[in-house]
Amino acid sequence: MSAKRLNLIQVFRGVAAVLVVLAHTDLIYNQNLNQNFLFKIFTFGGSGVDFFFVLSGFIMFYIHQKDIGHKDRLGTFLFKRFTRIYPLYWVVLTSKIFASFIFSYNSATNDRGIGEFIKAFLLFPQDREILSSSFLGVSWTLTFEVFFYLMFGLLIWLKPKFSFPIIAAWLLGVFFHFIGLIKLPEENVLLQLIFSDYNFEFVLGCLTAYVLLNRKISNGMPFIYLGLFLYTLSAINYFYNFLPVSSVLTFGIACTLLVLGGASLELRKTINVPNFLLFLGNASYSIYLAHGFFINHMTKVLNKLELEIFQNLLVLNILGFIIGIIAILCGCIVYLYIEKPLLLFFKPKAVTT
């Protein structure tokens, strides 16, 4: 029996993508126009990454918890994960690199060595500065996703009596690194990835799915209210920097509560949500990968026009919203005409693998 489709979880994916678009609109506005977008109030939108990580952990355990300990299912699992991440990523990355070479707008990309290109295509850990300046800035998060899939694959490949101690030891190392008992060289991006506190967010998502699959929660609304409250506090703290707290302890926990509350509501009864929100969730990966490319080029066009009206802050902020919306719509087009056909192409192969 397949797991029940959770519409709210899909909507959350769309929300996370929109948050990242808003944050990157401000970031690229600063880079290309030397202006802030809406007084930088959406800089907390980078927390959409925290939301994605929690959601990814939840979805993996919710869908594949019965695969744990069954090594014969590992091939299908890895093939599905591979086709979900890499084909579209390769299309977007290749398009971005070709645009850099053809229009010669990014000399940093042209100066990269073949090794860095290979790492980028394989999503092997690289310095985030290299990725943002030469390849896809968001690809560092996909590296975390791939690493999480490999760790989850370990749970499927080995019996729990072997895999659980390995996972526990790894998480202990992550915790020791988080509290500062383990010091890792900053230049070693692989170790920084393996023991990053971001990994806790995937685990929080897995734990949320475990709780919901093994225990009934009568009312999910208190969790949603508490999650929204903590998310708001986290956004305020991020903006004003009152406390230098890790996003795992702020946005990560808030997102976990939102997922716990939303999923528990929907497991009790089907919740009807507007189709456009479901579509936005379905298109979230395409939006996430492609939005930066479109925002970057639209703001560069604005900068070259040098019209006096663009010096008006109100006009710039309105344009920022328009640019963000256009970037989202372009991401939806990428989903319809590239990602969706790719998923349909690989789906029969995933079933028979």
Side-chain angles (χ1 to χ4, degrees), residues 37-177:
F37 172 57
L38 275 183
F39 311 103
K40 301 185 73 66
I41 62 173
F42 287 115
T43 52
F44 78 91
S47 60
V49 172
D50 301 281
F51 212 165
F52 272 127
F53 286 173
V54 174
L55 286 166
S56 185
F58 174 85
I59 293 168
M60 282 305 98
F61 195 92
Y62 181 72
I63 295 176
H64 295 288
Q65 54 100 15
K66 292 183 179 179
D67 296 335
I68 293 175
H70 298 275
K71 65 185 303 181
D72 57 306
R73 302 178 186 178
L74 179 62
T76 300
F77 169 79
L78 291 177
F79 184 81
K80 286 181 177 179
R81 294 303 96 209
F82 176 88
T83 55
R84 187 70 185 88
I85 290 287
Y86 280 100
L88 180 64
Y89 169 69
W90 285 337
V91 170
V92 175
L93 178 60
T94 302
S95 301
K96 196 265 184 184
I97 291 173
F98 273 138
S100 298
F101 284 127
I102 293 171
F103 299 108
S104 300
Y105 67 81
N106 192 341
S107 59
T109 302
N110 301 342
D111 295 337
R112 295 300 171 193
I114 186 65
E116 289 166 321
F117 278 90
I118 292 172
K119 287 181 181 179
F121 274 90
L122 295 180
L123 288 172
F124 196 81
Q126 278 199 88
D127 188 278
R128 285 173 61 175
E129 201 170 301
I130 293 176
L131 295 173
S132 60
S133 64
S134 306
F135 302 108
L136 284 182
V138 298
S139 59
W140 69 271
T141 64
L142 302 185
T143 302
F144 274 98
E145 289 279 352
V146 170
F147 176 66
F148 168 63
Y149 295 156
L150 292 175
M151 296 304 290
F152 200 93
L154 191 68
L155 290 174
I156 298 174
W157 182 41
L158 299 175
K159 294 294 183 183
K161 64 179 180 180
F162 298 117
S163 62
F164 284 9
I166 295 173
I167 298 296
W170 164 59
L171 290 177
L172 193 62
V174 174
F175 177 72
F176 285 157
H177 179 239

Side-chain angles (χ1 to χ4, degrees), residues 29 34-39 308-320:
Y29 247 52
N34 199 29
Q35 295 286 349
N36 294 327
F37 172 57
L38 275 183
F39 311 103
E308 192 172 329
I309 192 174
F310 294 153
Q311 302 303 314
N312 186 296
L313 288 179
L314 177 60
V315 172
L316 275 176
N317 285 322
I318 293 173
L319 283 173

Side-chain angles (χ1 to χ4, degrees), residues 233-244:
L233 288 182
S234 301
I236 294 171
N237 182 66
Y238 188 90
F239 186 83
Y240 290 104
N241 199 27
F242 292 127
L243 297 172

Side-chain angles (χ1 to χ4, degrees), residues 27-34 295-297 299-300 303:
L27 177 67
I28 298 172
Y29 247 52
N30 268 278
Q31 290 175 346
N32 294 345
L33 300 176
N34 199 29
I295 294 173
N296 185 38
H297 282 274
T299 51
K300 283 185 175 181
N303 194 36

Side-chain angles (χ1 to χ4, degrees), residues 206-237:
C206 289
L207 290 175
T208 301
Y210 176 81
V211 169
L212 289 174
L213 289 169
N214 292 277
R215 183 177 178 180
K216 290 184 179 179
I217 296 177
S218 58
N219 187 4
M221 287 308 300
F223 294 102
I224 291 178
Y225 292 143
L226 182 58
L228 288 172
F229 177 69
L230 289 179
Y231 206 106
T232 303
L233 288 182
S234 301
I236 294 171
N237 182 66

